[in-house]
Amino acid sequence: MSMDRPGKARGAPAADSCARCAAVGPTCCVMTPGHEDQCFPVSEMERQRIVEQVGLSRGTFTPEANGASFLASLRRLFPGERQAVEALFPPGGRHLRLSTGPSGRCVFLRADGCGLPRPVRPYYCRLFPFWMAAGRVSAFAATTCLVHREGRTVAGMLALLDMTEAQVRDLHGRLRLAWGLPPREGMPTVTPSPARFGT
């Protein structure tokens, strides 16, 4: 799925922002060592899409416990949906995440940004720094994010990444369904996929 509007160089703005961010760092693709348990989950559908594109290599995905900080992060992302979140990610259960190296860098992070083609990346990666809150497109307060610093507003950040609010809504809806959460009112019509997590 292309994230570009017709008539523009395909993928150029997002690729440029990603490459510039990787050059200056820190990026959203680097976890603080010791906090990897807060990394977002990768659904079975997202995992399969990555494997089909790049093949399965040892160390690409890491099983992670559904710990207290992970569940607290999910509850903040999906307020009012605690029961659904804990049914999908039961305390004491496990989920898959992208692997990181000793410095916290995602295994797919390269000098020029993400090594995965944009349509293959997990939905969370493709959404960042955007999110849906109370039915509106919003942005995380990520002060280290280059797009956040340069764009300053949601509209400015969307322009830097050559995205529209409709694309953010669509990706957020696809993420919800991939992770196993029910559709919300006003969500774009997307086809659900089975969401299986962990081992």
Side-chain angles (χ1 to χ4, degrees):
M1 179 177 88
S2 173
M3 297 298 297
D4 307 304
R5 291 194 288 263
K8 300 259 183 170
R10 297 184 71 78
D16 176 62
S17 295
C18 195
R20 290 189 302 113
C21 187
V24 298
T27 79
C28 57
C29 307
V30 179
M31 296 291 301
T32 302
H35 293 268
E36 294 84 0
D37 61 328
Q38 294 180 28
C39 187
F40 63 89
V42 175
S43 70
E44 178 61 17
M45 185 218 46
E46 293 171 299
R47 187 194 71 81
Q48 286 178 356
R49 192 170 55 211
I50 293 169
V51 169
E52 287 169 6
Q53 178 70 32
V54 299
L56 182 60
S57 60
R58 189 180 182 117
T60 302
F61 303 97
T62 298
E64 189 71 56
N66 298 339
S69 58
F70 169 76
L71 291 170
S73 295
L74 284 185
R75 287 193 292 269
R76 281 192 300 274
L77 287 176
F78 302 104
E81 297 184 77
R82 181 181 185 130
Q83 286 184 324
V85 165
E86 290 188 3
L88 290 166
F89 304 95
R94 291 161 77 87
H95 62 276
L96 285 181
R97 65 170 174 83
L98 296 176
S99 295
T100 53
S103 65
R105 292 172 59 90
C106 175
V107 292
F108 294 111
L109 182 58
R110 309 286 182 261
D112 59 348
C114 183
L116 290 173
R118 192 163 186 82
V120 176
R121 297 175 195 172
Y123 290 122
Y124 192 89
C125 296
R126 291 160 64 186
L127 269 167
F128 195 86
F130 306 111
W131 196 249
M132 295 296 301
R136 300 181 60 183
V137 174
S138 62
F140 292 111
T143 55
T144 59
C145 173
L146 179 75
V147 169
H148 195 282
R149 288 196 311 267
E150 292 182 357
R152 299 185 182 204
T153 65
V154 168
M157 288 184 269
L158 286 167
L160 278 175
L161 292 174
D162 199 25
M163 289 178 71
T164 65
E165 286 195 12
Q167 288 170 321
V168 172
R169 290 177 189 279
D170 180 72
L171 283 171
H172 189 264
R174 290 176 187 277
L175 176 144
R176 286 185 62 87
L177 294 177
W179 288 10
L181 290 161
R184 300 297 293 261
E185 186 178 342
M187 214 173 88
T189 304
V190 295
T191 305
S193 298
R196 210 171 28 134
F197 288 94
T199 55

